[in-house]
Amino acid sequence: MDEFTIQETRKFPQATGDLSALLRDIGLAGKIINKQVRKAGLVDILGKHGATNVQGEEQMKLDVFANETLINILKNCTECAGIASEENDDHMSYEDTFSFNSKYVVLFDPLDGSSNIDVNASIGTIFAIYRRVSELGKPCTVEDFLQPGNRQVAAGYIIYGSSTMMVYATKLGVNGFTLEPSIGEFCLSHPNMKCPDNGKIYSLNQGNTVKYDTGMNAYLNYCMESNKEEGRPYTQRYIGSMVADMHRTLIKGGIFIYPGDKSNPNGKLRLQYECNPMAFIVEAAGGRALSGKGNIMDIQPTELHQRTPVFIGSRNMVEKAMEFIQQ
Ligand code: AFP
């Protein structure tokens, strides 16, 4: 992966190599988190940590480990001015001369899908990289973290599944790297990933149907209705771990939805830590990511832990869903 990233950045004569180094450091954090995830059940890392995060959700021990690993690695590298994490109340600006002069900030969900940890299902780390807008030479500021998703420079995820993979996107495209455990390297296994224009899978928490509005329910009926020519009914798949559901969507096509509902009009998923990075990846792969009111990546964030409804995946499926949603 490191070699590939360096070759890619060479396509830009003005590139300094900072972005490649940052991606390598995030990959390193992924390897350390992976090592711990793979020991779950053998060492005392399963279960609850005993605290709740800023969203009032109970933190698992691995959530805390993953968060601290990313914070420390990015603090000690020279390319990151600061971070914002789904697990922390505020952004963190790194207070040293190297960091003051670093041009990138990173936002991440250190361990997404953590309710899956104890049952051995896939979980993942999601990250988004932005060029800071605050003045170089000084600490980064909250404005650096409140940029719309369309200003991302790169985004990606690491999935701890049947194998461990790091998938990242830049404006040049999306590439996937599988961790070769015997040499500890991410190796290019999924070059130039493309999200199919159509798919046969819809993915959402259908248990919430009673809370969905009429447009959303009409779309669900459309997915379940029989139409041989159009390949319906679609198949329903939902793991409850966005990284795992999105990884499948990226490879096989389909639509992943976390809509707003009567009790939570903005849904559950976080704009900056989950939806924007996934939107950047999927759109770089030819797919589509909408909120029901427009492009996810055009939303101007006003707070760090903002939520948004999300409809994301195969271009034609997402656009079809909008015919029901925007009624
Ligand atoms: P956790 O990290 O708390 O398990 O939440 C996972 C998640 O943010 C996302 O990865 C899932 O798609 C979604 O929440 C699942 O939410 P529901 O349990 O409400 O379906």
Side-chain angles (χ1 to χ4, degrees):
M1 186 179 83
D2 298 347
E3 184 57 31
F4 175 87
T5 311
I6 291 165
Q7 299 296 346
E8 287 288 283
T9 44
R10 284 208 179 123
K11 291 179 183 161
F12 300 96
Q14 74 283 13
T16 56
D18 284 2
L19 182 61
S20 330
L22 190 50
L23 287 163
R24 184 197 57 218
D25 290 325
I26 294 171
L28 173 61
K31 288 180 203 172
I32 295 171
I33 298 166
N34 176 64
K35 187 164 168 262
Q36 209 64 5
V37 168
R38 298 296 170 205
K39 285 195 286 189
L42 295 173
V43 295
D44 183 27
I45 196 81
L46 285 180
K48 294 171 183 150
H49 178 255
T52 49
N53 69 10
V54 60
Q55 342 260 340
E57 298 159 340
E58 228 165 356
Q59 286 181 307
M60 310 298 277
K61 287 180 197 162
L62 269 173
D63 275 330
V64 175
F65 177 82
N67 197 34
E68 284 170 2
T69 301
L70 275 156
I71 290 174
N72 288 332
I73 287 194
L74 293 173
K75 189 180 195 170
N76 288 309
C77 75
T78 54
E79 313 82 28
C80 182
I83 60 98
S85 163
E86 193 203 287
E87 298 295 336
N88 293 10
D89 296 7
D90 290 323
H91 75 279
M92 207 180 254
S93 115
Y94 294 141
E95 302 288 322
D96 60 86
T97 331
F98 278 126
S99 304
F100 289 166
N101 287 298
S102 303
K103 55 178 186 262
Y104 295 114
V105 294
V106 182
L107 289 86
F108 53 80
D109 179 351
L111 209 56
D112 182 59
S114 49
S115 55
N116 276 319
I117 296 171
D118 287 358
V119 297
N120 219 338
S122 299
I123 46 180
T125 299
I126 311 175
F127 62 90
I129 301 175
Y130 292 79
R131 199 180 289 268
R132 63 190 281 192
V133 288
S134 58
E135 200 181 327
L136 278 180
K138 296 191 172 160
C140 63
T141 65
V142 70
E143 282 67 38
D144 297 321
F145 300 92
L146 294 179
Q147 302 186 58
N150 54 32
R151 304 194 60 170
Q152 287 170 100
V153 175
Y157 59 81
I158 300 157
I159 178 165
Y160 314 101
S162 46
S163 64
T164 298
M165 271 188 78
M166 177 156 165
V167 173
Y168 80 77
T170 62
K171 296 239 157 77
L172 292 178
V174 186
N175 291 280
F177 306 83
T178 301
L179 185 64
E180 208 320 348
S182 61
I183 54 168
E185 289 292 348
F186 284 109
C187 301
L188 183 63
S189 53
H190 295 60
N192 197 19
M193 294 172 85
K194 295 283 173 215
C195 182
D197 288 342
N198 292 296
K200 291 189 177 341
I201 301 173
Y202 70 105
S203 183
L204 86 171
N205 189 339
Q206 204 150 349
N208 289 333
T209 306
V210 69
K211 294 196 248 166
Y212 296 152
D213 63 20
T214 41
M216 188 59 223
N217 274 310
Y219 179 65
L220 281 182
N221 287 334
Y222 166 85
C223 291
M224 294 185 288
E225 166 182 285
S226 185
N227 184 323
K228 241 186 184 171
E229 271 166 31
E230 294 181 13
R232 284 181 285 130
Y234 295 144
T235 294
Q236 201 270 353
R237 293 278 182 274
Y238 187 71
I239 302 170
S241 164
M242 189 191 197
V243 176
D245 282 315
M246 283 310 304
H247 189 60
R248 181 197 59 247
T249 304
L250 194 59
I251 290 176
K252 289 194 172 176
I255 182 168
F256 173 87
I257 305 173
Y258 207 111
D261 61 38
K262 287 174 194 151
S263 27
N264 299 300
N266 291 323
K268 173 185 178 189
L269 302 187
R270 293 70 169 181
L271 174 62
Q272 284 103 307
Y273 310 110
E274 294 170 304
C275 299
N276 269 337
M278 287 300 180
F280 185 85
I281 297 164
V282 162
E283 295 213 347
R288 203 90 169 87
L290 302 174
S291 68
K293 292 191 179 145
N295 291 336
I296 292 277
M297 289 194 285
D298 289 343
I299 300 173
Q300 173 61 57
T302 51
E303 48 171 319
L304 273 183
H305 296 285
Q306 195 162 326
R307 297 173 196 256
T308 177
V310 60
F311 301 80
I312 182 169
S314 293
R315 169 170 291 276
N316 294 339
M317 288 182 87
V318 172
E319 282 166 6
K320 185 74 193 172
M322 289 305 110
E323 291 175 19
F324 295 85
I325 301 311
Q326 287 170 336
Q327 273 173 8

